[in-house]
Amino acid sequence: MNTLLLHCRPGFENEVCAEISDQASRLGVAGYAKARPDSAYAEFVCQEAEDAERLMHGTRFARLIFPRQWARGEWLVLPERDRIGVLIEHLGSRMTFGSLWLEVFDTNEGKELSTFCRKFEAPLRKALGQEGRLVAPDTGRRLLLTFKSSREVFVGVAEADNSAMWPMGIPRLKFPRQAPSRSTLKLEEAWHHFIPRDQWDQRLAAGMTAVDLGASPGGWTWQLVNRDIEVMAVDNGPMNADLLDSGLVGHYRADGFSFRPKSPVDWMVCDIVEKPAKNATLLETWIGEGLCREAVVNLKLPMKQRYAEVKRLLERIADGLAERGVKASIGCKQLYHDREEVTCHLRRL
């Protein structure tokens, strides 16, 4: 089990290779990354299984930017018959798991395999339970089976508290019909990723104040209003009429990069399509000057060297805040609902 398998958005395999190689170098773990374009996954092959385990234990999955899911394991070819028996034998007699996830890659081929996985999961789960391999509760070691085909599977393990919150790293969020645009799901997913669910009532509380820069038509504003948060929606474009009628939204026709609130707010959110360096500067300014307590800002990505550029911008933000004497937590993730962008979250400490 000397290989790390990392899921990602199709087309971002090189970014995952660069990022996991960076982490391995930081920890002194020898190995190499490899990937096929548009395969929706990458692999990092270590010299020894202990090296792969050390790489996972020394890295917090939630802090990785481009991987959606990861597991440590190896590929297994399954026979046409008795797939379950071969799987159980491969796991060995002493390995037990708190949970089981069957996964596929985010490709057309993966979608076609979903039906197979749904049918295969119930008998596999039953067999694992009968063998004493699957034990409650849903904590500790997780068995992650990623199918490339019905005959080829990556048998992987990961700790439940150091891997994706959802199978394949894909949240099951439902688009609210009242929201004026599908971009609303970006902000909802960001909250799920960056804010523990048991802290929502304190950090996204009714009566808080927020600024939405580049708000039109109101997809992100809708999420804030849905939490009964008062919003200053800043955009020269039109806002959704229902949001304006809610009594919680004030529409400011102004430039998002020059707008400043008269007094600090709890939240600033921004999904303006602009060069990433400009949005990064905006983020540093709002947190650094105390204009908001928390912020979620999207950074649009360049065509090449995307991981290197994001890493550079995050370091610049951290250095800028340090020069101001401001302590803040900094998180960054390419969310499932992101495309050619990453989502950053900052919180003043």
Side-chain angles (χ1 to χ4, degrees):
M1 300 181 74
N2 67 326
T3 299
L4 262 62
L5 180 72
L6 304 107
H7 295 235
C8 65
R9 185 178 186 85
F12 284 82
E13 297 80 12
N14 286 342
E15 283 64 43
V16 172
C17 287
E19 186 173 9
I20 196 62
S21 297
D22 201 8
Q23 292 295 322
S25 176
R26 177 180 64 86
L27 295 168
V29 174
Y32 63 92
K34 63 178 183 177
R36 290 188 299 103
D38 299 315
S39 63
Y41 73 94
E43 298 173 73
F44 190 85
V45 182
C46 300
Q47 292 183 348
E48 304 289 343
E50 292 77 11
D51 294 331
E53 188 172 5
R54 184 156 64 92
L55 178 53
M56 290 190 77
H57 285 171
T59 305
R60 294 305 302 171
F61 176 78
R63 302 292 298 175
L64 295 174
I65 299 168
F66 290 99
R68 287 182 180 172
Q69 176 64 291
W70 69 351
R72 176 177 61 87
E74 56 194 347
W75 290 100
L76 177 66
V77 176
L78 299 174
E80 186 66 36
R81 297 178 180 274
D82 195 25
R83 293 184 179 93
I84 292 176
V86 171
L87 262 172
I88 290 178
E89 182 180 357
H90 179 80
L91 291 173
S93 59
R94 290 183 293 178
M95 293 193 74
T96 60
F97 306 92
S99 56
L100 166 69
W101 285 4
L102 272 64
E103 303 183 320
V104 296
F105 298 121
D106 188 16
T107 61
N108 291 332
E109 294 80 4
K111 292 180 177 66
E112 293 173 359
L113 276 171
S114 297
T115 300
F116 164 80
C117 289
R118 285 194 297 269
K119 293 180 179 179
F120 189 62
E121 181 175 359
L124 174 61
R125 187 177 294 276
K126 181 179 179 180
L128 288 170
Q130 291 174 341
E131 292 284 331
R133 308 294 179 84
L134 197 58
V135 296
D138 186 6
T139 56
R141 183 190 292 141
R142 175 172 290 152
L143 176 59
L144 298 165
L145 302 178
T146 304
F147 285 85
K148 187 185 292 187
S149 71
S150 61
R151 299 281 302 278
E152 189 174 7
V153 61
F154 187 87
V155 182
V157 297
E159 296 302 312
D161 63 353
N162 194 26
S163 54
M165 290 185 287
W166 307 279
M168 301 159 54
I170 299 178
R172 305 304 178 188
L173 303 180
K174 186 177 181 180
F175 174 64
R177 291 180 301 170
Q178 307 92 330
S181 70
R182 292 197 64 84
S183 69
T184 191
L185 295 176
K186 293 183 188 179
L187 185 56
E188 183 180 358
E189 185 183 353
W191 287 343
H192 280 287
H193 181 79
F194 295 114
I195 306 177
R197 193 63 180 85
D198 60 1
Q199 295 181 20
W200 281 32
D201 288 343
Q202 291 75 45
R203 294 167 61 181
L204 294 165
M208 283 185 167
T209 55
V211 172
D212 183 357
L213 302 176
S216 177
W220 286 28
T221 294
W222 187 92
Q223 288 291 338
L224 294 159
V225 168
N226 194 48
R227 301 286 304 176
D228 291 320
I229 295 173
E230 299 179 23
V231 183
M232 287 175 268
V234 182
D235 203 304
N236 286 310
M239 290 294 294
N240 176 268
D242 290 339
L243 286 174
L244 295 177
D245 291 340
S246 69
L248 291 172
V249 179
H251 186 192
Y252 295 78
R253 295 185 180 274
D255 174 58
F257 289 98
S258 59
F259 180 85
R260 298 290 184 272
K262 293 181 179 179
S263 57
V265 296
D266 296 293
W267 279 91
M268 183 273 279
V269 299
C270 174
D271 192 26
I272 297 176
V273 179
E274 185 51 89
K275 292 181 179 180
K278 192 170 183 179
N279 281 7
T281 299
L282 182 73
L283 181 54
E284 180 195 329
T285 298
W286 275 72
I287 292 293
E289 295 183 3
L291 298 174
C292 64
R293 186 180 303 164
E294 296 193 55
V296 171
V297 175
N298 273 359
L299 303 182
K300 310 303 174 182
L301 296 172
M303 294 299 294
K304 298 180 179 179
Q305 298 293 314
R306 293 178 288 199
Y307 170 66
E309 177 67 1
V310 171
K311 182 182 177 183
R312 183 184 71 82
L313 291 175
L314 293 177
E315 290 174 349
R316 199 184 78 181
I317 290 172
D319 291 343
L321 294 177
E323 290 176 4
R324 297 172 185 262
V326 174
K327 293 184 178 180
S329 63
I330 302 175
C332 183
K333 190 72 174 179
Q334 186 179 40
L335 303 173
Y336 173 71
H337 291 95
D338 286 338
R339 293 184 182 274
E340 300 293 324
E341 62 206 358
V342 293
T343 299
C344 293
H345 168 259
L346 266 66
R347 183 190 186 196
R348 285 180 67 102
L349 302 176

